[in-house]
Amino acid sequence: MPPRLFHDGEICAGKTVELEMNTGHHATRVLRIKAGDSVILFNGKGGEFSGRIERIQKTSTQVIIDQFNAIERESPLAIELVQAICVNEKMDLIIQKSVELGVTCIQPVTTARSIVRLSEERAMKRLRHWQRVIISACEQCGRNFIPTIFPLVALTHWINNRDTKPAHHLNFMLSTTGNESLKNLTRPSVNTHLTLTVGPEGGLTSEEEIILQQANFTPLRVGKRTLRTETAALATIAALQMRWGDF
């Protein structure tokens, strides 16, 4: 399969697209793409475009677009991941792999036991970094829609300000004291949309769990073992895709 590249702009069959400098550098210096090589471009608006490298210059890489392909690789299961922020490498891993596994959007939150504390400026820098992680994951896994990642907020602020969800929307929180298991749950009769909340390294406090339960979140336990936050998030998303998605 030709390399996939994200282009933040309009793409049209028969036209020439000039790649953003960093994208062109990655294509030619890292992926070693040469003039005449085939590539696939997508802009996050759906579908993808096949083309070929037309010209490579020191500060410019141009692609001639051959055709549009209405291909999507989205799961029928819409998952919103509410993830308590954790140390950089773990957070990057969770974001990258959850995108590969098919999440629709990601809401990073701070909790009482969060180890990482970010100023507003650092939080915005991390948000931009996470957006790049998401785009890279989409390039790799074949998704043509870019999952949304929202600005970092406190868990309680998110709960108090979240949009009202439809009756068929499922809300889960991972909890070591939860008694519910995925295998015992019945899939709703309509298209499934769900929100999954995962705590930080030290887990959610009992007060946070109570607040979530009052917001109609079902405590969910994944097996009998205590999982790290990055393991818990990814294992649960994979299990949800196996049970109700496209695995």
Side-chain angles (χ1 to χ4, degrees), residues 59-169:
T59 60
S60 174
T61 302
Q62 295 180 335
V63 178
I64 181 70
I65 304 302
D66 295 327
Q67 65 179 19
F68 172 74
N69 302 300
I71 297 173
E72 304 303 342
R73 302 178 181 90
E74 296 300 304
S75 169
L77 180 61
I79 303 175
E80 176 186 22
L81 173 63
V82 181
Q83 174 66 51
I85 188 173
C86 47
V87 295
N88 291 349
E89 295 81 3
K90 290 183 180 180
M91 196 68 183
D92 286 0
L93 176 70
I94 293 169
I95 291 171
Q96 180 190 65
K97 300 308 178 186
S98 65
V99 169
E100 292 179 21
L101 290 169
V103 298
T104 305
C105 59
I106 302 169
Q107 173 63 72
V109 295
T110 56
T111 64
R113 292 175 177 162
S114 293
I115 297 173
V116 178
R117 299 291 176 179
L118 300 178
S119 66
E120 183 176 349
E121 181 181 359
R122 289 184 61 204
M124 291 307 299
K125 288 182 179 179
R126 295 308 297 171
L127 178 62
R128 291 191 291 269
H129 169 75
W130 293 331
Q131 288 168 336
R132 292 193 294 270
V133 171
I134 289 173
I135 289 171
S136 178
C138 288
E139 288 177 333
Q140 188 277 325
C141 74
R143 295 182 67 176
N144 291 321
F145 283 102
I146 308 296
T148 301
I149 185 163
F150 299 104
L152 178 67
V153 295
L155 175 64
T156 51
H157 179 274
W158 174 78
I159 293 172
N160 292 331
N161 293 276
R162 66 194 296 255
D163 294 334
T164 302
K165 302 298 182 181
H168 60 266
H169 193 105

Side-chain angles (χ1 to χ4, degrees), residues 47-65:
E48 59 191 29
F49 297 80
S50 58
R52 61 188 183 280
I53 300 294
E54 183 180 45
R55 184 181 296 111
I56 299 174
Q57 298 175 324
K58 188 174 182 179
T59 60
S60 174
T61 302
Q62 295 180 335
V63 178
I64 181 70
I65 304 302

